[in-house]
Amino acid sequence: MNRAITPDSLMPYIGTVLLIAAGSFFFPQILTFDYLTQQLQIAAFLGLLATGATIVILLGHIDLSVPWVLTGAAILSTAFVGSGDPLLTALAVPAALAFGALIGIVNGIGVAILRIPSMVWTLAINSILLGLAVLNTGGFNPKGESSALMVSMAAGRLFGLPMSFLIWMAVCVGIMLFLTKTPFGRYLRSIGYNEKATFLSGVSTPSVVFVAFALAGMCSAMGGVLLAGYANQAYQSMGDPFLLPTIAAVVIGGTSILGGRGGLFGTVGGALFITLLTSILSVMQIGDAWRSIVFGAIILAMLLFQTLRKGARA
């Protein structure tokens, strides 16, 4: 159950290699170092969101507040920088992460304490954050700018690799160690399998839910910080296009949408696969509508595959 590498988690990596091989026949530039590193940079934005989503889905829940946690963190961080105050500029990234953690805890309260289905609660929180942002900006793009640190985090390079990709990998490694080296990871999966039995065994399940949603919120906020650094600004609804690909990356990576089974290794592959697929579809001039259809079909196919495998094992 706790193995990082499973047949399901290897599937997106195989798919990524096949996409590169097939795409190179039509677009040879796919095999260039510049193109591949650019895809790693873009994959980091989606990957951070999918990393947080994986933690919540392992619980057997789902977080639909990702778009506006991302957007809210981007607006907050750029507003801090745009104030011109050196202290606020220095606090821009920590404030965005604290914002993400706070929204995550609010989500945890709704799910663990009020016992409201996570899909309903997090969707409502997403709507509230949208409304607050519109009230704050009057419906216009928010004022502010990205700091040099945010730009460097999003677009910088280290040893030839994108800084955003290295940040994503560092976050993944840190969370993987947290899940494997502490009881939290075991409790997380146990709740995904059977929350009532886990609670009766003496585990403080609300605490686990709080931490899981807080980590997810911080991952979404970090994604917002990087996107703001990449665009050098925040803008309305910048997180909206990421919700479906985020869930798709997690499901493609082998994490069961019902909870209890999966991990971050597969999610990394899922994010790489989705990013490369999106890029190839874009090069082929496939419209956004068809991309959404492809993502939805992939999610349904993986859900069907997981259901059939579960039935076969039973």
Side-chain angles (χ1 to χ4, degrees):
M1 180 179 67
N2 292 323
R3 289 184 303 161
I5 302 176
T6 64
D8 287 349
S9 68
L10 287 173
M11 287 181 61
Y13 293 95
I14 296 172
T16 299
V17 172
L18 292 177
L19 276 177
I20 293 174
S24 64
F25 282 105
F26 303 98
F27 311 104
Q29 68 270 25
I30 286 178
L31 295 177
T32 63
F33 180 77
D34 287 343
Y35 177 85
L36 292 175
T37 53
Q38 182 187 40
Q39 297 311 302
L40 292 179
Q41 179 183 28
I42 297 171
F45 308 142
L46 173 62
L48 281 165
L49 306 179
T51 297
T54 301
I55 300 171
V56 172
I57 290 176
L58 281 172
L59 276 175
H61 294 291
I62 195 165
D63 184 0
L64 299 182
S65 66
V66 167
W68 275 93
V69 173
L70 181 159
T71 306
I75 292 174
L76 182 64
S77 59
T78 54
F80 271 40
V81 176
S83 69
D85 188 324
L87 177 60
L88 291 179
T89 298
L91 291 175
V93 175
L97 295 179
F99 167 80
L102 175 62
I103 300 302
I105 291 173
V106 171
N107 284 334
I109 291 173
V111 173
I113 304 300
L114 302 179
R115 310 301 297 175
I116 297 174
S118 57
M119 180 178 294
V120 177
W121 180 267
T122 58
L123 185 62
I125 294 297
N126 189 71
S127 180
I128 291 172
L129 292 174
L130 164 61
L132 290 174
V134 172
L135 285 175
N136 180 57
T137 62
F140 299 98
N141 279 339
K143 298 179 181 179
E145 58 186 3
S146 301
S147 65
L149 173 62
M150 292 167 63
V151 173
S152 177
M153 290 168 62
R157 296 287 179 109
L158 182 64
F159 305 120
L161 292 174
M163 186 68 73
S164 59
F165 174 74
L166 296 176
I167 291 172
W168 174 32
M169 289 297 99
V171 170
C172 281
V173 169
I175 294 179
M176 281 182 182
L177 290 174
F178 184 51
L179 294 180
T180 57
K181 301 299 183 183
T182 69
F184 177 81
R186 187 168 63 253
Y187 297 158
L188 190 74
R189 289 179 168 84
S190 296
I191 292 172
Y193 274 113
N194 192 321
E195 182 176 1
K196 183 177 291 186
T198 305
F199 175 77
L200 293 175
S201 69
V203 176
S204 175
T205 54
S207 299
V208 177
V209 173
F210 289 158
V211 173
F213 273 98
L215 285 174
M218 292 177 71
C219 287
S220 295
M222 179 58 78
V225 168
L226 292 184
L227 274 173
Y230 185 73
N232 202 31
Q233 63 175 341
Y235 51 91
Q236 295 283 355
S237 304
M238 64 190 298
D240 287 353
F242 285 92
L243 182 58
L244 188 57
T246 295
I247 298 173
V250 177
V251 174
I252 289 171
T255 296
S256 172
I257 201 73
L258 301 177
R261 183 173 59 83
L264 292 178
F265 177 79
T267 297
V268 171
L272 294 174
F273 177 83
I274 289 294
T275 300
L276 190 62
L277 176 63
T278 302
S279 176
I280 291 176
L281 291 176
S282 178
V283 171
M284 295 174 64
Q285 298 184 343
I286 303 298
D288 290 340
W290 280 105
R291 289 185 218 175
S292 296
I293 291 172
V294 170
F295 292 146
I298 289 173
I299 293 175
L300 290 176
M302 289 303 300
L303 289 174
L304 180 60
F305 178 73
Q306 290 176 2
T307 301
L308 292 175
R309 279 191 55 137
K310 185 176 180 181
R313 286 196 298 265

